[in-house]
Amino acid sequence: MQGWEAVRAEVLRRIRARDWAPGALIPGEEALAVEFGVARATVNRALTALAEAGVIQRKKRAGTRVAELPVRRARLEIPVIRLDVLGRGLPYDFKLLADRLALAPVPVAARLGLPEGQPLHYLETLHLAGGRPFVLETRWLNPAVLPSPPPDFAAISVNEWLVTHVSLVSGDIAFLAEPASAREAEVMGVAPGTALLVAERTTHGTAGSVTLVRLAHAPGHRVMMTF
Amino acid sequence: MQGWEAVRAEVLRRIRARDWAPGALIPGEEALAVEFGVARATVNRALTALAEAGVIQRKKRAGTRVAELPVRRARLEIPVIRLDVLGRGLPYDFKLLADRLALAPVPVAARLGLPEGQPLHYLETLHLAGGRPFVLETRWLNPAVLPSPPPDFAAISVNEWLVTHVSLVSGDIAFLAEPASAREAEVMGVAPGTALLVAERTTHGTAGSVTLVRLAHAPGHRVMMTF
DNA sequence: ACTTGCATTATGTCTAGACATATTAGCCAA
DNA sequence: TTGGCTAATATGTCTAGACATAATGCAAGT
């Protein structure tokens, strides 16, 4: 290995070996460039990568110091459900259970940052893997920010239409565990109260809040991430 | 805005506006550099950032193309539990419930990639937020890869000692929902069968597998991520 | 003692040019 | 037709030098 990756590796080694302790200031880019016999830009590339990884913290004028508690970051690749199912080697299908305009309940409107009493598009989709319930998706869509003619959601899943036709800018996702409600139990064919992994997602586009989704996963479902 | 961030923004805008459709080849760095009136290195910086974000895919000789299904990535910052609790404005404490050597059960050994019948360090810690159970941590540690004298885990939490004293290289984390076992119910003061959010984490260091942790969170706990 | 302003300095970014490397298309030979 | 070589090409990286920007700490003035 050579080049900026070599610099990154060596700096990382010294931090792990505690040559440079947590919280300590490390030599400046210029000094490291001289020591390693490379240009400053190369050192900069290496340190920028380490800073993105959370290993060091950099501030102009103040210099670079080793992070006190190295924050570990894991990346979640949010899959399109269809591909998630196919990736497990199972045939995919879905059923549209509800598709109507409805007034948003207060907590929904609040989460989307919309005024109360606004009519939203409500969709309920049951995703199937190998014919068995996989995920129950309940979704509120803000029609105001969508391209005018919504397609037939019985033909293409909402999710896939959204990611390819709407500019999604930012959002957040939360995982929690909840007992299956009566409706969930019925639709998914499990006992009421069964522990379900639930993902709640809000998504914002350039024109405002787009959608609030709740995904209730079948028992035993695992969401995996690596770091 | 100007510089490489301006280039990134403009390229992103064109992709979102479908000037450049998913799967399509976009102009080369040289061409973009001329168009934007910047050096090729600046375009490279912008495109590298977009590639890291998953918006485009780059290959030498083959060029740069817009990702087919824009994979949405969310980042999870795995907190040290103490800081997580303090960040919620609650006092933190923990109790060490178990600290012994024990033979690893087969599934544990398998997940760590170790031979069966190996003695591992078993630790059980109850993390408290404001005096109430927050997380029950059950952990298997591989003593073979640790710095020789392990500290007194009743004084410093295992997690914090690990992140500051062991080179953690890679790992994975899975979230799932499970009903509380009898022991979990007793220790955490909830009814057996309550839906709990469980995180299972394996971590590997340079010298091999380090640890397997199971974190059972108190009811209502949410793991939040943004993208 | 307190505030304001300025010089200092480390990181952040840019440029122009160069070489490295991976990958592909096309060609040629078996 | 198939397999392997080759040349072309787009991205990847490096260099040396320059200017930009943000913090910091000191100095000066109130």
Side-chain angles (χ1 to χ4, degrees), chain B residues 29 40 58 60-61 63-64:
Chain B
E29 297 187 346
R40 187 171 77 89
R58 323 192 68 199
K60 289 182 188 180
R61 159 73 199 183
T64 299

Side-chain angles (χ1 to χ4, degrees), chain A residues 136-178:
Chain A
L136 175 62
E137 169 187 325
T138 52
R139 181 186 292 266
W140 294 89
L141 262 178
N142 181 2
V145 301
L146 297 182
S148 30
D152 176 14
F153 287 128
I156 180 174
S157 100
V158 202
N159 192 5
E160 295 199 37
W161 180 75
L162 275 179
V163 296
T164 52
H165 289 78
V166 180
S167 301
L168 305 177
V169 171
S170 68
D172 53 80
I173 184 169
F175 291 98
L176 54 153
E178 282 192 359

Side-chain angles (χ1 to χ4, degrees), chain A residues 28-29 40 44 58 60-61 63-64:
Chain A
E29 297 187 347
R40 188 171 78 88
N44 184 280
R58 325 192 68 200
K60 289 184 188 177
R61 158 74 196 180
T64 300

Side-chain angles (χ1 to χ4, degrees), chain A residues 50-72:
Chain A
L50 285 172
E52 265 175 27
V55 177
I56 57 177
Q57 290 169 348
R58 325 192 68 200
K59 272 205 316 209
K60 289 184 188 177
R61 158 74 196 180
T64 300
R65 43 184 77 242
V66 180
E68 287 284 355
L69 273 182
V71 180
R72 299 205 66 80

